[in-house]
Amino acid sequence: MRRSGLSVWELVLFTVFLSIAAGASLFFFFVNSSDVRKAQQKYQWVYDINEMLDEVCSEISNSIYIDSPFVGDSNECFYYSPVDPTKLEVGKDLEGFIFNDGKLLYMMKDGRPATKRFGRFSNPLVEACKDGKFARISASQIELSFKAQNNNTASGEPEIKEFKRIIHLRNQ
């Protein structure tokens, strides 16, 4: 005998597939929401600053001679880098980083335009920063710290995030 209509298992299976489809559409609606996009932008902002800071710290830690800060705090850090990374021969250019007018900049001490080494990063390295300083905390360590302001937040209120690195000087 053949029955007409739906069996209980067919009804359960239809309900399961319908709930999966509804859940997937809600999930994709959430992923495309403006709050999630703002969170992704915030994450990208922090990621970009941290990536740039890693390069700055690597550059300073591989320097041959630190010109400033020699003792205490300063808004600038100037150094001589090696001519060849495999040797400890001092280069002729005094280069460094400076916090000036709310920006972190890469500079040459003699005022020449600084265009080398930082790949996708260009001046200013960080905008909208304040309280930036380089502090010599020991003979072989420099602390880099500043606060950066992100204006692209979900609430519309600017967010301030503090960044801090301890740079271990390898060649000192």
Side-chain angles (χ1 to χ4, degrees), residues 10-31:
E10 291 172 332
L11 190 58
V12 168
L13 192 58
F14 174 75
T15 307
V16 167
F17 285 140
L18 185 63
S19 63
I20 289 172
S25 66
L26 284 174
F27 174 74
F28 288 118
F29 177 74
F30 172 74
V31 166

Side-chain angles (χ1 to χ4, degrees), residues 60 66-79 96-100 103-104 109 130-137 142-146 167:
I60 293 172
I66 299 291
D67 186 63
S68 68
F70 193 72
V71 177
D73 297 351
S74 177
N75 69 330
E76 60 186 37
C77 179
F78 283 98
Y79 58 91
F97 303 94
I98 185 167
F99 287 101
N100 190 14
K103 298 174 184 165
L104 175 61
K109 187 70 169 189
K130 61 182 179 177
D131 302 331
K133 68 177 180 174
F134 295 92
R136 191 74 177 248
I137 55 177
I142 293 178
E143 179 182 271
L144 162 64
S145 63
F146 65 94
I167 303 168

Side-chain angles (χ1 to χ4, degrees), residues 108-120:
M108 303 298 265
K109 187 70 169 189
D110 61 5
R112 285 185 291 139
T115 58
K116 62 179 182 173
R117 279 207 186 92
F118 288 100
R120 69 182 184 101

